[in-house]
Structure formats: structure tokens, C-alpha cells
Amino acid sequence: MRWPATPVERLQDFSPRFCPWPECAEHRRVARGYRFRRSGLYSTARRPKIPRFRCLACGRRFSRQSFSTSYYLKRPELLVPVAAGLVAGSAHRQLARSLACSGSTVTRLSARLGRHALLLQALALQHLGHSVTEAIAADHFETFEFTQDLPFGVLTLVGRDSWFVYGLDPAPHARTGKRTPDQEARRRARSSRRSRGGYRGSFRRGLDLLEGLVYEGKSLSVACDGRPQFVEAHASH
């Protein structure tokens, strides 16, 4: 997968490859040949001379910032330290205190970083195609949302040799273990949620994902709870 060495904000000869507006017919263009026209420049307190463009298909105007992770951010310098703090396991409030910003700012940036991480993984999986031959370890990371009455697992598919995370899938399930009468009454009073098949449904979706990545004609070993399972890839033709 080709990874750009220079951020979009620093490219002097940047040329858009598609229209950033979802309603435009050229939004999903992947081949070369996108037609646009340069439409002046504008400057901000942080960045001088940001080029603007006009799409010749829909007529809308946009700028180079439309293709940047820092689009519409008042404090773009927070992206990297917030990402580093999240990877290190820091809480949102802790990051907000360290970076002298609002806790809601960290929350919004974490959501933005998550969307870009999902896009990066999707692009990486697209480039892999039917080329995966290594064994895959599958396990559910256990956590909860808001309260321990709402636990869920996160299926994590990791390559044995590459340590590449091939996929993540949530598995909401009912609370287990001993509970006091008060805890049980509180749990029953909470609104129900979709289980999406629990652990079995989550693991099944993980296998469906891997089936599209395995090298054609090869059985892929998937170790789950100490028991190996296999995915047989078949040629599409």
C-alpha cells in the first residue's frame, strides 16, 4: 500500500482526484481524469495560500483542506498528541488537562481519528486482496459501555506473524456472574439492546471477513479459545 510521505496541508502542487461532495457524480471516482478548475487562494492565521478548486461536474467549490484530516479544526496541532495519548490508554479528561483544552474537544478528535483509522484499515484490506496466508488469532476483548450491566466483547483478528489487525467486531452480551438483588433489579430496569448474535454472530462475521482475504485454494488457520478452525478460500471463477 502506498503511504504518502507528505501531509496534504504541505503539498504545494496538490491536485484533487475526485470531488469531495457526496452528491456529486465524481465523488466516487477512482481512475484518473477528474476535471476541475483552479479557483483562487485563501489564507488563515495558521496556513497561507490555501488553493481553492471548482468541480466541473457539479460546479461546487472546495479547497485543499477538504482532503486533510485537519479539515475545519480550530486547533489542528492537537491531532497528533491526542492520538498518541489514546494509544497510550489515557482518558479523555486526562488528555484535556495535559493539552489545555476542553474534554469535548478530545472526544470529538478521538471520533475523527477513529473514522480515519477505519478508512486506513479498509484501504489496507482492499490492497491485500486474496493474499493472506498466515495464521490468525481471534479473541474477544471484554469491556462495557456506560455500566457493567451492559458488557460487550470486541472480536480482534490479529495475524500471527505480521501482528496486523485484520478486523474488529462488537459482540454485545448479557451480564454474567453473581449479582445482588439490587443489581439484578437495576439490570432488568435498563432498556434492552441488540445482541447481534453475541459471540457466535461476531465470530461468524469475522470468518466472513477473512474468507475474502485468504489466498485462493488455501485453508487459513484461525485460533480461537485454543481451538483452531479453518477457512477454505474458493476461486470466484
Side-chain angles (χ1 to χ4, degrees), residues 45-57:
R46 296 178 180 272
R47 295 187 180 90
K49 297 183 179 180
I50 302 174
R52 279 197 178 103
F53 309 92
R54 183 181 296 277
C55 177
L56 296 183

Side-chain angles (χ1 to χ4, degrees), residues 124-175:
L125 293 177
Q126 181 181 0
H127 280 265
L128 282 175
H130 292 276
S131 62
V132 178
T133 59
E134 63 177 341
I136 306 294
D139 197 6
H140 281 87
F141 170 78
E142 286 297 320
T143 183
F144 59 88
E145 51 179 327
F146 303 116
T147 171
Q148 294 185 9
D149 291 335
L150 302 175
F152 70 94
V154 181
L155 175 67
T156 309
L157 302 170
V158 182
R160 182 186 64 181
D161 302 320
S162 65
W163 290 18
F164 178 75
V165 178
Y166 289 93
L168 301 169
D169 191 272
H173 59 84
R175 180 173 178 176

Side-chain angles (χ1 to χ4, degrees), residues 4-22:
T6 306
V8 172
E9 299 93 332
R10 299 180 184 176
L11 292 177
Q12 299 298 325
D13 56 346
F14 172 79
S15 295
R17 298 184 178 181
F18 60 91
C19 180
W21 293 93

Side-chain angles (χ1 to χ4, degrees), residues 13-194:
D13 56 346
F14 172 79
S15 295
R17 298 184 178 181
F18 60 91
C19 180
W21 293 93
E23 299 84 359
C24 180
E26 294 291 310
H27 179 62
R28 298 185 179 276
R29 170 178 284 274
V30 294
R32 296 182 180 273
Y34 172 58
R35 299 176 64 247
F36 65 92
R37 180 178 300 161
R38 297 188 178 274
S39 184
L41 303 167
Y42 76 98
S43 300
T44 66
R46 296 178 180 272
R47 295 187 180 90
K49 297 183 179 180
I50 302 174
R52 279 197 178 103
F53 309 92
R54 183 181 296 277
C55 177
L56 296 183
C58 66
R60 290 186 174 93
R61 297 177 66 195
F62 56 90
S63 73
R64 183 183 61 191
Q65 279 298 106
S66 301
F67 299 86
S68 170
T69 55
S70 62
Y71 174 70
Y72 230 80
L73 289 182
K74 293 182 179 179
R75 296 190 61 184
E77 73 279 1
L78 295 179
L79 269 175
V80 173
V82 167
L86 292 173
V87 171
S90 301
H92 289 195
R93 290 183 180 179
Q94 182 181 11
L95 285 171
R97 288 194 298 268
S98 301
L99 299 174
C101 66
S102 171
S104 60
T105 298
V106 177
T107 301
R108 286 193 297 270
L109 289 179
S110 66
R112 175 182 291 232
L113 290 166
R115 292 192 295 271
H116 280 278
L118 288 171
L119 178 59
L120 173 60
Q121 185 190 42
L123 291 174
L125 293 177
Q126 181 181 0
H127 280 265
L128 282 175
H130 292 276
S131 62
V132 178
T133 59
E134 63 177 341
I136 306 294
D139 197 6
H140 281 87
F141 170 78
E142 286 297 320
T143 183
F144 59 88
E145 51 179 327
F146 303 116
T147 171
Q148 294 185 9
D149 291 335
L150 302 175
F152 70 94
V154 181
L155 175 67
T156 309
L157 302 170
V158 182
R160 182 186 64 181
D161 302 320
S162 65
W163 290 18
F164 178 75
V165 178
Y166 289 93
L168 301 169
D169 191 272
H173 59 84
R175 180 173 178 176
T176 59
K178 295 182 178 180
R179 296 179 293 275
T180 65
D182 291 341
Q183 289 176 333
E184 179 63 18
R186 183 186 62 191
R187 186 189 69 83
R188 290 180 178 275
R190 297 189 184 278
S191 58
S192 60
R193 57 177 179 168
R194 292 178 55 195

